[in-house]
């Protein structure tokens, strides 16, 4: 069972077991510096991760958050 609710690399991160019992729900929010947490985040994304990946989520959460939230450059450039 996973239950994460903390700040990671400047992002508000929540992770918990999804209702299907086969996935982990990962929700990441970014707030601009000085912004009120009572307002909606500037960016938010949600992901379903296979339950088998729980050890990676626990041990490499920082890298996962950075990887998922870092904009990618277009390969057409």
């Amino acid at each position: 069972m996973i239950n994460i609710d903390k700040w990671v690399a400047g992002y508000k991160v929540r992770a918990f077991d999804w209702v299907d019992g086969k996935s982990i729900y990962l929700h990441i929010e970014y707030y601009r510096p000085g912004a009120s947490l009572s307002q909606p985040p500037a960016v938010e994304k949600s992901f379903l991760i296979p339950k088998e990946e729980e050890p990676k989520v626990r041990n490499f959460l920082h890298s996962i958050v950075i990887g998922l939230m870092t904009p990618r450059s277009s390969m057409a450039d």
Side-chain angles (χ1 to χ4, degrees):
M1 181 170 196
I2 192 164
N3 188 11
I4 297 171
D5 186 6
K6 64 182 184 177
W7 290 90
V8 177
Y11 296 94
K12 180 70 173 138
V13 178
R14 291 188 65 225
F16 51 87
D17 293 328
W18 191 237
V19 294
D20 65 3
K22 300 175 186 175
S23 304
I24 296 168
Y25 178 79
L26 179 65
H27 186 80
I28 306 170
E29 299 176 341
Y30 171 74
Y31 292 88
R32 289 190 173 88
S36 171
L37 296 179
S38 64
Q39 299 298 316
V43 178
E44 66 180 317
K45 295 183 180 180
S46 297
F47 306 90
L48 284 178
I49 300 172
K51 187 73 171 155
E52 305 85 56
E53 302 297 331
E54 183 174 342
K56 291 179 185 174
V57 172
R58 288 187 183 280
N59 296 317
F60 303 107
L61 185 59
H62 184 274
S63 296
I64 291 168
V65 169
I66 296 298
L68 291 172
M69 297 302 285
T70 301
R72 310 246 188 266
S73 63
S74 172
M75 293 185 70
D77 291 343

